[in-house]
Amino acid sequence: MGLLTGILLLPLAPVRGVAWLAERVNDAAEHELYDPSVIRARLAALNEALEGGEIGAEEFEREEERLLDLLEHRLFRSPPTAIEPTPGAHR
């Protein structure tokens, strides 16, 4: 990068910094969302909630299916397109 280009692009440095930071945060969030150990821990917590009577069988099945889909997509390295958290689901 030349001196003139550096001077002209200097006002954009904060924007580039924020964009870089946003990418890092996004990467960390995706890692946590699709990390198999995190998904397995959430499945274990879901089982405990069912056994403890905190959730019903229908809610358990919905959330279990969603978590298993996340795990399957992670294992095959293709992020799911639009899997949203189930409203009211325990984590």
Side-chain angles (χ1 to χ4, degrees), residues 20-61:
W20 178 85
L21 183 59
E23 286 179 31
R24 299 295 80 75
V25 169
N26 185 47
D27 291 345
E30 284 185 356
H31 175 73
E32 185 173 328
L33 179 64
Y34 300 122
D35 183 12
S37 63
V38 172
I39 295 172
R40 288 185 188 103
R42 290 167 63 189
L43 281 167
L46 187 64
N47 280 319
E48 289 177 13
L50 178 66
E51 290 172 4
E54 298 171 30
I55 61 172
E58 185 177 308
E59 183 179 353
F60 171 82
E61 289 176 9

Side-chain angles (χ1 to χ4, degrees), residues 2-19:
L3 180 62
L4 184 58
T5 305
I7 292 171
L8 290 174
L9 294 179
L10 190 59
L12 297 177
V15 174
R16 289 195 315 254
V18 169

